[in-house]
Amino acid sequence: MRKQDMNRDWIATARTLSQALPYFQRFVDATVVIKLGGHAMGSDEAMDEFARDVALMRQVGVNPVIVHGGGPMINKMLGRLNIESKFVNGKRVTDEATMEVVEMVLSGIVNSDIVQAISEQGGRAVGVSGKDSGLIICDQEDPELGLVGRPTEVNPKLLRDLAEKGIIPVIAPLGMGRNGETFNLNGDTAAGAIAAALKADRLLLLTDVAGVKNAQGEVLTELTAAQIREMVADGTISGGMIPKTQTAVDAVEGGVRAAVILDGRAPNACLLELFTEHGAGSIIRKG
């Protein structure tokens, strides 16, 4: 007979689970849209951790919807195929040759890797793109950028049908034009549009920064859409954080309960945000 003594780590784990109970109850049947990108896609270890967190979320009754990016993988494949990228005002021009690579990488390589990772952690996931079942209908964003789209209509029935069966959708950010064209979409923009159409409880935007910071460099844990606009106007929010915060504002004004910009580099970031008192990033509400 082996004697086993309780230690502090085990007791702390039990206490953490007990403290999470109200949050498990709070998010039963809640829809949570997660934009996956950056560090969380940067290694097999990070992907496995993310997949395990998503599988756990589904296990406790949350309906996660994953929208992923894939820019670095697209760049790598374009280079391998010797397809030169052209840029207008810092944005990639997506011509027909580039679009073929974008679709191959996003719908083929990246999407299937995420689905496999979730499946290996015990979750049930299926890969789709914004073109499937008319999920995302687009208009061209700018003729100079070629096949880059802006979501104008989202039809979320497919996603609701999957959620009813306990299946986690993993969505490649592609859309269909009104004449059948395939459009490349910004992943954050696609995630925000999908979250608004689903009236999601949360939109989680995983980034490689700790959150939205004030002029002193301190992370702000709670903001309103009005405060975001003020911070953009006075230059406190700048650079790449502007489109990310705009996505969050558009989502909450479109019907999402709250959007969170959080640090995807932090271990178990999504679980910390949903199931702990302190959260893991900057939560933005309509306000």
Side-chain angles (χ1 to χ4, degrees), residues 170-218:
V170 179
I171 305 168
L174 301 168
M176 182 176 291
R178 300 182 188 280
N179 297 313
E181 316 97 313
T182 298
F183 282 109
N184 185 17
L185 303 176
N186 175 275
D188 288 347
T189 303
I194 288 168
L198 288 168
K199 305 300 179 188
D201 195 277
R202 288 287 188 276
L203 167 64
L204 306 183
L205 298 170
L206 297 181
T207 71
D208 287 341
V209 297
V212 180
K213 298 179 181 180
N214 62 16
Q216 290 72 45
E218 302 164 328

Side-chain angles (χ1 to χ4, degrees), residues 153-267:
E153 184 181 339
V154 178
N155 304 303
K157 184 179 185 303
L158 171 63
L159 306 183
R160 293 195 176 109
D161 290 345
L162 291 172
E164 287 178 4
K165 295 176 173 63
I167 298 173
I168 301 165
V170 179
I171 305 168
L174 301 168
M176 182 176 291
R178 300 182 188 280
N179 297 313
E181 316 97 313
T182 298
F183 282 109
N184 185 17
L185 303 176
N186 175 275
D188 288 347
T189 303
I194 288 168
L198 288 168
K199 305 300 179 188
D201 195 277
R202 288 287 188 276
L203 167 64
L204 306 183
L205 298 170
L206 297 181
T207 71
D208 287 341
V209 297
V212 180
K213 298 179 181 180
N214 62 16
Q216 290 72 45
E218 302 164 328
V219 175
L220 301 174
T221 56
E222 294 189 23
L223 302 105
T224 65
Q227 288 172 323
I228 291 291
R229 291 194 180 92
E230 290 174 4
M231 294 171 70
V232 171
D234 66 20
T236 302
I237 294 175
S238 60
M241 189 57 75
I242 293 176
K244 201 165 288 289
T245 52
Q246 186 60 53
T247 293
V249 168
D250 290 345
V252 297
E253 292 185 339
V256 176
R257 192 178 186 91
V260 186
I261 296 174
L262 67 161
D263 191 349
R265 300 168 300 178

Side-chain angles (χ1 to χ4, degrees), residues 18-239:
S18 177
Q19 292 172 343
L21 177 60
Y23 300 98
F24 290 155
Q25 295 169 330
R26 160 72 178 78
F27 284 102
V28 169
D29 291 330
T31 296
V32 176
V33 177
I34 306 171
K35 164 54 190 353
L36 174 62
H39 177 80
M41 297 177 67
S43 70
D44 291 341
E45 182 180 357
M47 180 61 72
D48 287 344
E49 182 179 273
F50 173 80
R52 187 162 51 250
D53 290 354
V54 169
L56 189 152
M57 290 164 60
R58 179 58 258 183
Q59 187 67 38
V60 298
V62 178
N63 295 317
V65 175
I66 315 303
V67 182
H68 62 82
M73 295 79 161
I74 292 169
N75 291 338
K76 184 177 180 180
M77 184 61 73
L78 288 170
R80 184 181 299 174
L81 297 174
N82 293 317
I83 297 176
E84 183 180 356
S85 295
K86 299 177 182 178
F87 294 86
V88 173
N89 297 324
K91 295 183 178 181
R92 186 201 308 275
V93 176
T94 305
D95 57 18
E96 291 186 6
T98 302
M99 189 67 243
E100 289 181 8
V101 176
V102 168
E103 186 164 15
M104 175 180 66
V105 172
L106 292 179
S107 285
I109 300 170
V110 178
N111 193 277
S112 61
D113 283 351
I114 298 169
V115 169
Q116 180 178 344
I118 294 172
S119 298
E120 288 175 350
Q121 298 300 328
R124 298 172 63 208
V126 65
V128 300
S129 85
K131 295 169 59 179
D132 295 331
S133 294
L135 176 58
I136 302 177
I137 305 300
C138 297
D139 287 338
Q140 189 177 41
E141 181 178 321
D142 182 343
E144 286 191 279
L145 296 177
L147 296 170
V148 175
R150 180 183 66 255
T152 55
E153 184 181 339
V154 178
N155 304 303
K157 184 179 185 303
L158 171 63
L159 306 183
R160 293 195 176 109
D161 290 345
L162 291 172
E164 287 178 4
K165 295 176 173 63
I167 298 173
I168 301 165
V170 179
I171 305 168
L174 301 168
M176 182 176 291
R178 300 182 188 280
N179 297 313
E181 316 97 313
T182 298
F183 282 109
N184 185 17
L185 303 176
N186 175 275
D188 288 347
T189 303
I194 288 168
L198 288 168
K199 305 300 179 188
D201 195 277
R202 288 287 188 276
L203 167 64
L204 306 183
L205 298 170
L206 297 181
T207 71
D208 287 341
V209 297
V212 180
K213 298 179 181 180
N214 62 16
Q216 290 72 45
E218 302 164 328
V219 175
L220 301 174
T221 56
E222 294 189 23
L223 302 105
T224 65
Q227 288 172 323
I228 291 291
R229 291 194 180 92
E230 290 174 4
M231 294 171 70
V232 171
D234 66 20
T236 302
I237 294 175
S238 60

